């Protein structure tokens, strides 16, 4: 922290915040929208079924997994931008221009596989456990 402050001033402590917000908020909004869609799309568990509790958990796991993957995949470019901002110490717009100049539109999918592990699993788990505790 001291190094950042000494080299970049007080504003350096907030570097990347805009990209962090731009990646986190859409990620969860996307995941919740997909979860809500899956809620209406998937058949409801039959309360008279002897496996009702397991059926509800499987339904919740399905919609949580789909929501987590969608949230991670659709917001992956924002993760790329944020990570690049930390590497090149440039503002948001300039970072996007540099990424596009150097990689074209392929920067949109850079690191997608790792992002699926780092993002889809935690987002999906958050939705699943919330859903399981509310039921």
């Amino acid at each position: 922290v001291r190094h950042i402050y000494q080299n970049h001033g007080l504003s350096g402590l907030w570097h990347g915040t805009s990209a962090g917000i731009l990646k986190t908020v859409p990620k969860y909004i996307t995941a919740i929208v997909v979860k809500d869609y899956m809620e209406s799309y998937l058949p409801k568990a039959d309360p008279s079924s002897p496996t009702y509790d397991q059926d509800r958990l499987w339904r919740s796991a399905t919609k949580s997994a789909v929501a987590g993957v969608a949230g991670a995949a659709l917001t992956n470019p924002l993760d790329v931008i944020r990570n690049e901002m930390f590497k090149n110490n440039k503002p948001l717009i300039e970072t996007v221009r540099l990424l596009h100049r150097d990689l074209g539109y392929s920067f949109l999918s850079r690191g997608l596989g790792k992002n699926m592990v780092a993002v889809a699993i935690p987002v999906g788990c958050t939705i699943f456990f919330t859903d399981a505790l509310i039921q």
Side-chain angles (χ1 to χ4, degrees):
V1 173
R2 182 176 26 203
H3 173 76
I4 294 170
Y5 181 75
Q6 289 172 345
N7 291 300
H8 304 288
L10 189 59
S11 66
L13 298 173
W14 302 107
H15 182 68
T17 303
S18 59
I21 291 170
L22 283 175
K23 85 174 194 83
T24 303
V25 172
K27 185 180 317 300
Y28 277 92
I29 288 173
T30 301
I32 296 302
V33 167
V34 170
K35 178 199 71 90
D36 289 346
Y37 171 77
M38 294 300 291
E39 179 69 38
S40 64
Y41 177 77
L42 291 172
K44 301 255 188 245
D46 180 7
S48 64
S49 170
T51 59
Y52 175 66
D53 290 332
Q54 289 121 343
D55 295 344
R56 281 187 339 168
L57 285 176
W58 277 111
R59 184 174 188 273
S60 180
T62 301
K63 66 184 176 184
S64 300
V66 171
V69 167
L74 294 174
T75 61
N76 185 68
L78 300 172
D79 286 324
V80 173
I81 293 166
R82 185 191 69 136
N83 292 339
E84 197 66 25
M85 282 178 72
F86 287 123
K87 287 195 310 193
N88 69 19
N89 203 29
K90 306 261 187 242
L92 180 69
I93 300 301
E94 189 175 347
T95 299
V96 173
R97 285 186 185 133
L98 289 171
L99 281 165
H100 186 263
R101 183 196 71 200
D102 295 344
L103 302 172
Y105 289 108
S106 69
F107 88 86
L108 299 172
S109 62
R110 187 173 89 180
L112 186 58
K114 291 178 184 175
N115 204 23
M116 285 298 157
V117 174
V119 174
I121 293 172
V123 170
C125 286
T126 299
I127 292 171
F128 175 75
F129 290 124
T130 301
D131 204 34
L133 292 173
I134 289 174
Q135 292 183 11

